Amino acid sequence: MCGIVGYVGADHAKEKIIDGLKRLEYRGYDSAGIALPIDGKIQIRKHVGEIRNLEKIIGEPEFDSAVGIGHTRWATHGAPSDLNSHPHGNSDNSIAIVHNGIIENYQEIKEWLARDYGVTFKSETDSEVIAHLIGIFYDGDLLEAVNKAVAEMRGAYAVCAIAAAEPDKIVAVRKDAPLVAGVGKGFNFIASDIPALLKYVRQVYLIENNETVVLTKDDIVIYNEEGRKVRRDVFNVTWDADAAEKEGYEHFMLKEIHEQPKGIYETLTRRINDDGSIRLDGISMTKEDIENFNKVYIVACGTAYHAGLVGKLVIEKMAHVPVEIDVASEFRYRDPFVDENTLFIAISQSGETLDTLAALREAKRKGARVLSVVNVVGSSVARESDDVFYTWAGPEIAVASTKAYTTQLICMYLLGLYMGKTKGTIEDDYYDKVLSDLKALPDKVELLLKKEDEIAEIARKYHRREQVFFIGRGLDSGVSYEGSLKLKEISYINSFAIAAGELKHGTIALMEEETLVFALATQDFLYEKMVSNVEEIRARGARIISVAKEGRTEIEKVTDEVIYIPDCIDEVSPVLAVIPLQLFAYYVARERGCNIDKPKNLAKSVTVE
Ligand code: G6P
């Protein structure tokens, strides 16, 4: 995710800002930039790629100041490029800003500024409007101008602004995006995240929503929404920089598991209009295109493929179109039936997986319409697709994918609903029910995460097993594959997933005393069949951990442990059912002392065949 660092002091702002930005590198970014007030003007330097690219263009001693703001960008609006990087200036660069978050009404503001003030825009970003807004309201008082600009903005933001005419200060403001001020002696910092500051300060003020902060070298003044000064206790940071990057979590994987309510919210909510219709920015498929598809092909690798397994059932049910699914490494070598009436969906967190990219090219060559579901903006898969549907999960650092998976699922639902509505294959009542259950997911996931201790306890009990099975039916079968993959990836336990109904055709031969089986039983219409499957293996002495919806207690009679997930319609339960499996895998691996964030032999992004 984007990172912000601002410094006000006596000298060498450049050095401190670069230090701070480097501390935020672990979060992933695609470009970096810095703005300094020098001799009555603001100078902005920015560069796509790594911070070292930026360092190459800011080397000369004259490019320095006692004050400055810097940014690492993770693209959301507009591909990674020099121009789209932050900081952004207004028309005469008398104001510069850096921004984290999304300005939802930026198009409206853009049109208004262009029409009434003749503003021309240099970038494709939503953020640039902030610099112009502040510029238009600026009348010698940066704080006042920032407040006026904020009143025009809707969305989420942490913004830091500097003005050429007030070169001794930074004004910052936040709403739904983190911001902290670091307290120094003769200098002060502002940043999006604590790790950026730890080399220089240990005391910080945590800025709250709708607060504005004015930083000078000797003072940090916080104002509330009504413009009144706020007294804030300092927060003493006791963690080291390494722990701070993980925001107190022991591993990135656990942090990312906990970021799922936010990722789901971001991916979902911004795409739903007030009237319940779905807005798919970046997707230009027409009604006619959608009606003309006689087949959908989903292709992906690893966890993304497992999201596709759920996507297949969801899209078939909602959009009444046959959906085939394949792993990319198979698809690309088997001359599949794909033509101009095929919608080809590539799912990829990184957007750089070589097999997925090759499969996409193959589908394109055969004339398919290519839509990708991708987390990394501007990645190769995104660039080569006709339409891109972004999962707004934020950067995923742990090799084992968690928040990318749940946000990929959200994209599958939105796509199913959108296609179904467009084709008229979905009843209004059913559409409304799915939508309302989807909207309830962030809170329900949050609730489920509160069962972390209970799940950790179960993991402690079973962590020495060397073999685990995962079974489920319908949508649960897809989730079983993901649960099994999570466990084997990070704990090196031999885990195996199979559709529960298929057990009796071979795998049941392996069931014996103490065999551990995870049984997913969240599909109401398959619940009884699932209970029978569990009974069959229980009769052979297997130990069962089941995952069921609250209130479906029948299964307790045949299992050793039950983890209940909040009630919901069957269709959306995969988003909830996977959470206990992620936590189980995490705590088992932790008990076994594994290198959770970087498991052996695995890579986050596989760019080779
Ligand atoms: C690697 C990663 C997996 C990931 C898969 C697909 O194997 O370790 O976590 O699911 O690649 O990656 P993608 O970036 O295309 O989703």
Side-chain angles (χ1 to χ4, degrees), residues 299-306 346-357 373-376 381 396 398-402 404-405 408 482 485-486 489 599 601-607:
V299 173
C301 302
T303 291
Y305 170 73
H306 296 155
I347 310 178
S348 175
Q349 187 285 130
S350 63
E352 300 298 344
T353 304
L354 186 76
D355 281 327
T356 307
L357 195 56
V373 174
V374 176
N375 196 38
V376 179
V381 169
E396 196 178 58
V399 167
S401 182
T402 53
Y405 173 75
Q408 284 160 355
E482 178 55 10
L485 179 67
K486 281 295 83 77
E489 277 181 310
N601 304 341
L602 299 181
K604 183 74 189 152
S605 168
V606 182
T607 52

Side-chain angles (χ1 to χ4, degrees), residues 372-413:
S372 59
V373 174
V374 176
N375 196 38
V376 179
V377 175
S379 56
S380 305
V381 169
R383 284 201 311 271
E384 296 193 27
S385 301
D386 299 310
D387 297 302
V388 190
F389 195 179
Y390 285 112
T391 48
W392 283 319
E396 196 178 58
I397 292 164
V399 167
S401 182
T402 53
K403 60 178 182 170
Y405 173 75
T406 41
T407 52
Q408 284 160 355
L409 291 183
I410 297 298
C411 291
M412 294 293 108
Y413 295 119

Side-chain angles (χ1 to χ4, degrees), residues 37-160:
I38 300 172
D39 299 334
K41 292 204 174 72
I42 291 177
Q43 291 199 29
I44 300 176
R45 306 267 170 95
K46 45 195 191 176
H47 209 296
V48 74
E50 295 177 20
I51 293 174
R52 59 192 165 90
N53 295 343
L54 173 66
E55 283 181 290
K56 284 184 199 147
I57 56 166
I58 59 170
E60 77 273 20
E62 301 75 48
F63 183 74
D64 208 348
S65 168
V67 174
I69 52 176
H71 192 262
T72 45
R73 174 173 187 252
W74 167 271
T76 54
H77 289 73
S81 70
D82 289 353
L83 280 180
N84 287 337
S85 317
H86 297 217
H88 292 286
N90 64 338
S91 304
D92 62 359
N93 274 2
S94 54
I95 301 288
I97 63 99
V98 288
H99 165 226
N100 285 1
I102 293 175
I103 304 302
E104 283 163 7
N105 59 337
Y106 82 102
Q107 284 292 11
E108 256 165 64
I109 300 177
K110 241 176 151 169
E111 280 158 28
W112 164 52
L113 292 179
R115 188 183 57 238
D116 292 2
Y117 294 91
V119 171
T120 53
F121 292 86
K122 295 180 268 253
S123 76
E124 303 155 291
T125 64
D126 54 328
S127 310
E128 191 185 339
V129 299
I130 307 170
H132 292 288
L133 274 177
I134 299 174
I136 277 154
F137 291 126
Y138 188 73
D139 193 13
D141 184 342
L142 184 57
L143 173 63
E144 195 185 302
V146 167
N147 284 335
K148 285 184 176 162
V150 163
E152 303 295 333
M153 288 157 32
R154 270 201 324 269
Y157 45 80
V159 176
C160 291

